Amino acid sequence: MEWTRGGTGDPLLALRRTGVGLLFWVITGLDFVVCVLQVFNDPIHGHMELHPLLVKIIDTPQFQRLRSIRQLGGTYFVYPGASHNRFEHSIGVAHLAGQLGQALKTKQPGLNITDRDILCVQIAGLCHDLGHGPFSHLYDGMFIPKARPGNKWKHETASLAMFDHLVKCNKLEDVMKQYGLNLSEDLDFIKEMIDRDNDKDQEWLHKGRPKDKSFLYEIVSNKTNGIDVDKFDYFARDCYHLGVQINFDYHRFLKFARVCEVDGWKHICVRDKEEDNMTEMFHTRLCLHRRAYQHKVTKIIETMITDAFLKADKHIKIEGTGKKTFRLSTAIDDMEAYTKLTDAVFEKILNCAFDAPQELRDARDILRRIINRDLYRFLGETRFEDPTEVCTNVFVGLYCITLSTIKMDYGMKREDPIDHLYFYTKHDTTRAFNRKRCQVSRIRPMCFSEQLVGFVCKKTDDRNPQADVDNFQQWCRAKDFPEYQVIFISSLVYRCNNFLKPKGVSYKSSQKLQYY
């Protein structure tokens, strides 16, 4: 196939399908650059065609690192199918970001959405999770707060640093210019979409795009109502791998999404008839937290992994910039070191030498307990109005009890996210409005969040588990805490083991009945 260079033809007509994807012209100055959209086959979205600049970013060590970071962390030890990782999720988000941007551009030409805008939004979707550490949210939500108390670090912060590191190390500035990006604006725009605060009722402070394109900031990470393509992908992908049915259909949102102006701000809105579909989206989020992300065994396993990481912290050596050495908890300070930190640290601790330092061997023993399914014992859970009043560790009798706070909501804490969503009608597609409470179905929930505290015993002796349950109940009564649920499976396991045990035989912990 031959292509000619020149200005006589309309570059928009210079499109042709080939066996490898879609060929098209990109104008850079007076030249035309031929690009090939590379096709990725995905179990969730089918055949995805990605811009060559996105492929250049994907083919870097910093992005390939995401292959070794599981999307759902410790959930994989509970749901065998949850083996997917941040790599495919990030590609899926980039694909959906392009779809939503292109849909808005096609339906509303007056928005002046450019191909450069869409490409930047796709890059932000592709790179929004670059900063995740081992076992995803376990690292930034459980390990770092304990390893470095007072440190306000979050994975979005690392995503920005890793994006800068990726661009610099792989010399992508010239490649970005080649594909038409304006680095003085577009790099800021991309990073502002990855990590930004809610701008409602504030002066427009962003540098990447003017206020009349504020709706572009809602595509990847929507701080107004939580409806964004990041959730569209991980809801569909997580449900697929968990084997959980999903009722929310993101295709309908893409079909009915429009941009309307509200109080001087442009927001992505949806048809009024889609209220039930959007409600189902937030309900899906709640169900995934209940059934998978904050499943009681998932929380126990992630607590054990965190304990192992804390013990092994100073013994894990990672080489960074200038051959400087970093620990498991300090690698976040150097992106060269952080690039080398993945879920593989679990195996590194698990297979440490027999003569390793005692703390590292203690960490190994904790991980071996996970492999052997000798988990911390779950005693029960109770509901608090304000779990922050309860300390992290308490002592019931002589045994240390760890508290695990579980917060579940529809995505906006105590508020109904539908109250923050803007609708339009088919009779007036330019005027957006919120649903009034009197217009909302009476069978909709009135409470949108709950907080539970699970009680977990770390002890490893063969003492009767029922004694721990009894102590837990007495402690709850003494503190005047409501006793919400007590798990009697521990007592059943103890009794079954003792009933089946031949005289004179003593079982090791690994031989006892296990539960999942």
Side-chain angles (χ1 to χ4, degrees), residues 36 75 141 144 192 264 275 308 335 363 402:
V36 180
T75 306
I144 290 295
E192 287 166 352
E275 179 184 340
M335 289 301 105
T402 292

Side-chain angles (χ1 to χ4, degrees), residues 131-387:
H132 269 294
F135 294 88
S136 291
H137 289 290
L138 178 152
Y139 186 81
D140 64 325
M142 299 176 69
F143 171 68
I144 290 295
K146 292 182 178 180
R148 300 177 68 172
N151 191 314
K152 301 298 183 181
W153 180 87
K154 55 182 182 177
H155 77 267
E156 291 89 352
T157 304
S159 292
L160 299 181
M162 186 65 80
F163 176 71
D164 287 336
H165 181 65
L166 181 153
V167 172
K168 182 179 179 180
C169 286
N170 298 281
K171 299 179 174 59
L172 293 184
E173 293 95 338
D174 292 338
V175 180
M176 290 178 168
K177 291 177 183 177
Q178 180 184 1
Y179 288 112
L181 294 194
N182 182 345
L183 300 190
S184 62
E185 296 178 358
D186 293 338
L187 288 181
D188 285 333
F189 180 40
I190 292 166
K191 290 191 285 187
E192 287 166 352
M193 286 187 286
I194 292 175
D195 184 24
R196 74 185 187 97
D197 295 324
N198 191 349
D199 306 297
K200 186 70 174 175
D201 298 327
Q202 295 180 11
E203 182 184 354
W204 187 255
L205 300 176
H206 293 314
K207 301 176 183 178
R209 290 296 183 273
K211 187 178 179 180
D212 65 348
K213 288 192 175 182
S214 58
F215 61 91
L216 292 175
Y217 289 85
E218 297 179 353
I219 294 178
V220 175
S221 178
N222 191 337
K223 301 298 184 181
T224 302
N225 52 44
I227 299 174
D228 51 52
V229 295
D230 179 27
K231 293 183 180 63
F232 293 173
D233 183 85
Y234 83 70
F235 286 166
R237 196 172 301 278
D238 291 355
C239 286
Y240 175 84
H241 287 280
L242 290 168
V244 174
Q245 193 70 32
I246 182 172
N247 295 321
F248 167 68
D249 183 6
Y250 71 82
H251 295 95
R252 290 187 63 86
F253 182 88
L254 298 180
K255 181 68 69 177
F256 291 106
R258 288 186 66 86
V259 174
C260 301
E261 187 168 327
V262 183
D263 299 329
W265 296 79
K266 289 185 177 179
H267 292 285
I268 298 177
C269 310
V270 69
R271 266 289 300 276
D272 52 350
K273 68 177 183 178
E274 290 303 297
E275 179 184 340
D276 287 342
N277 188 38
M278 304 318 299
T279 300
E280 193 59 45
M281 188 198 94
F282 295 111
H283 185 254
T284 297
R285 180 187 186 278
L286 177 65
C287 289
L288 285 171
H289 275 269
R290 276 180 172 167
R291 299 176 65 176
Y293 308 156
Q294 304 206 56
H295 186 286
K296 65 176 182 294
V297 181
T298 297
K299 296 295 288 185
I300 288 174
I301 289 173
E302 291 188 339
T303 298
M304 295 178 74
I305 295 174
T306 301
D307 288 347
F309 282 2
L310 290 170
K311 289 182 178 295
D313 184 16
K314 65 183 181 182
H315 303 288
I316 301 297
K317 307 297 183 183
I318 307 169
E319 185 176 304
T321 304
K323 295 187 177 181
K324 186 178 178 180
T325 301
F326 295 85
R327 303 200 315 253
L328 184 57
S329 62
T330 61
I332 59 177
D333 300 326
D334 182 87
M335 289 301 105
E336 185 173 332
Y338 198 50
T339 302
K340 303 172 184 177
L341 184 59
T342 66
D343 288 2
V345 70
F346 183 99
E347 299 294 333
K348 185 174 183 179
I349 297 172
L350 187 65
N351 299 317
C352 71
F354 70 93
D355 58 347
Q358 183 61 49
E359 284 186 316
L360 190 56
R361 282 181 284 153
D362 291 342
R364 176 194 62 193
D365 292 342
I366 294 174
L367 298 187
R368 282 180 176 176
R369 288 184 62 183
I370 295 175
I371 299 301
N372 295 326
R373 213 66 181 183
D374 179 22
L375 307 180
Y376 293 165
R377 183 176 295 129
F378 181 75
L379 301 180
E381 58 189 16
T382 185
R383 181 182 285 112
F384 292 93
E385 288 297 324
D386 183 8

